[in-house]
Amino acid sequence: MVQLSTEFEAEIRRKAAAGAFPTLEDFLRNAVEAFEREGSLEALLLEGLDSGEAPLTEQDFDDIRREGLEEIRRLRNEQV
């Protein structure tokens, strides 16, 4: 069981009522998933920093652009 402050719970319930999250559980699930993504991203960034420099090729830039656009499309579809 998770204990929330009265103010925090009220804010979550306001957001749920506004349609941001259907339930308190949905809010918490979303928050945990965001936390997990952030932790994974941080680990990858640190790994990249520790690996040293490597020149980027034109293909690297194309791949980065393609993956970024795919992620934007995925996020937009999740919001619908």
Side-chain angles (χ1 to χ4, degrees), residues 33-58:
E33 289 171 356
F35 179 76
E36 288 173 344
R37 282 192 305 269
E38 183 179 312
S40 297
L41 178 59
E42 183 178 355
L44 289 172
L45 290 171
L46 290 173
E47 180 182 325
L49 289 172
D50 290 341
S51 68
E53 291 186 34
L56 293 174
T57 66
E58 190 63 36

Side-chain angles (χ1 to χ4, degrees), residues 1 16-17 22 33 37 40 51 54 58 62 66 69-70 77 80:
M1 184 168 165
E33 289 171 356
R37 282 192 305 269
S40 297
S51 68
E58 190 63 36
D62 290 343
R66 179 185 45 76
L69 291 171
E70 287 172 1
N77 287 336
V80 175

Side-chain angles (χ1 to χ4, degrees), residues 15-39:
K15 289 183 180 189
F21 301 98
T23 66
L24 179 60
E25 289 80 14
D26 287 330
F27 171 83
L28 293 173
R29 183 178 307 107
N30 183 278
V32 168
E33 289 171 356
F35 179 76
E36 288 173 344
R37 282 192 305 269
E38 183 179 312

